[in-house]
Amino acid sequence: MNINLGSHTMRPIRAACLGTATALVALLACAPVAAAAATDTGSTRAEGGHRVITLTGRLAEQTRFPVNPGGAPAQGDRTVFRSILFDKDGKQVGETGGTCTTTRVDNGGAEECVVTYNLPDGQLSVQGMVFGNLNPGPPPSFDNGITGGTGKYDRARGSVHADTIGTGTRRFTIDLD
């Protein structure tokens, strides 16, 4: 098992293959609608009645499962991660967990990620691609789709935008339709 909280700034080639997934982390990471949605902390109404929620996700755990241990990144490499979610006041409001699988290793790489956001009033399911995860530097920003949810988020739709704001830390902007 390899837990690497610092993979977002200096990533060895092997770690780079799946480092972006951590974010969704953070998913995922990624990770971001939590209690802010439940308590309306950090959320605003946008045009058309959309609810916009901004949260911060901090990577808590990450394990990589490479196809070629110790070798070059390969299609099928996988990472599993968990992140803790915080509202704008720094209060813990939930967590995310998910997996990302490498689908392409050329042209900067690509991963397909599936992440669940565990929130006080239900869960959100998020899925999508992350491109450029093998490029040097911090993990790239990405946009993924909300595919559904439970509880307060039953039949949820919308998107999640993630930006890296520090080592193992992402800002998530959730736009609920």
Side-chain angles (χ1 to χ4, degrees):
M1 175 161 67
N2 177 19
I3 297 175
N4 183 350
L5 299 179
S7 68
H8 291 303
T9 52
M10 299 187 75
R11 298 180 289 171
I13 291 174
R14 188 89 214 81
C17 181
L18 298 171
T20 305
T22 303
L24 251 203
V25 175
L27 212 288
L28 73 52
C30 280
V33 176
T39 62
D40 230 11
T41 302
S43 68
T44 58
R45 292 278 181 189
E47 286 184 35
H50 294 127
R51 174 170 293 195
V52 177
I53 303 163
T54 302
L55 297 178
T56 300
R58 292 189 198 129
L59 182 63
E61 297 178 85
Q62 175 181 331
T63 304
R64 293 184 172 86
F65 300 92
V67 171
N68 303 312
Q75 186 179 42
D77 284 350
R78 190 169 53 103
T79 190
V80 178
F81 56 86
R82 181 177 72 90
S83 294
I84 307 299
L85 298 172
F86 299 89
D87 66 14
K88 65 180 179 161
D89 297 320
K91 178 183 172 196
Q92 183 176 334
V93 294
E95 70 176 27
T96 63
T99 62
C100 291
T101 304
T102 299
T103 60
R104 182 181 74 209
V105 294
D106 62 344
N107 297 319
E111 300 174 308
E112 198 277 329
C113 300
V114 177
V115 179
T116 300
Y117 295 81
N118 294 301
L119 314 172
D121 293 330
Q123 298 178 350
L124 277 176
S125 299
V126 177
Q127 183 174 343
M129 297 296 295
V130 177
F131 298 99
N133 56 298
L134 296 178
N135 290 331
S141 297
F142 61 88
D143 294 287
N144 286 172
I146 297 171
T147 58
T150 64
K152 182 177 180 178
Y153 309 102
D154 184 41
R155 300 181 191 184
R157 291 292 183 264
S159 62
V160 175
H161 177 79
D163 290 308
T164 299
I165 58 174
T167 302
T169 306
R170 285 195 182 252
R171 177 179 35 254
F172 296 98
T173 304
I174 297 117
D175 184 358
L176 291 165
D177 292 339

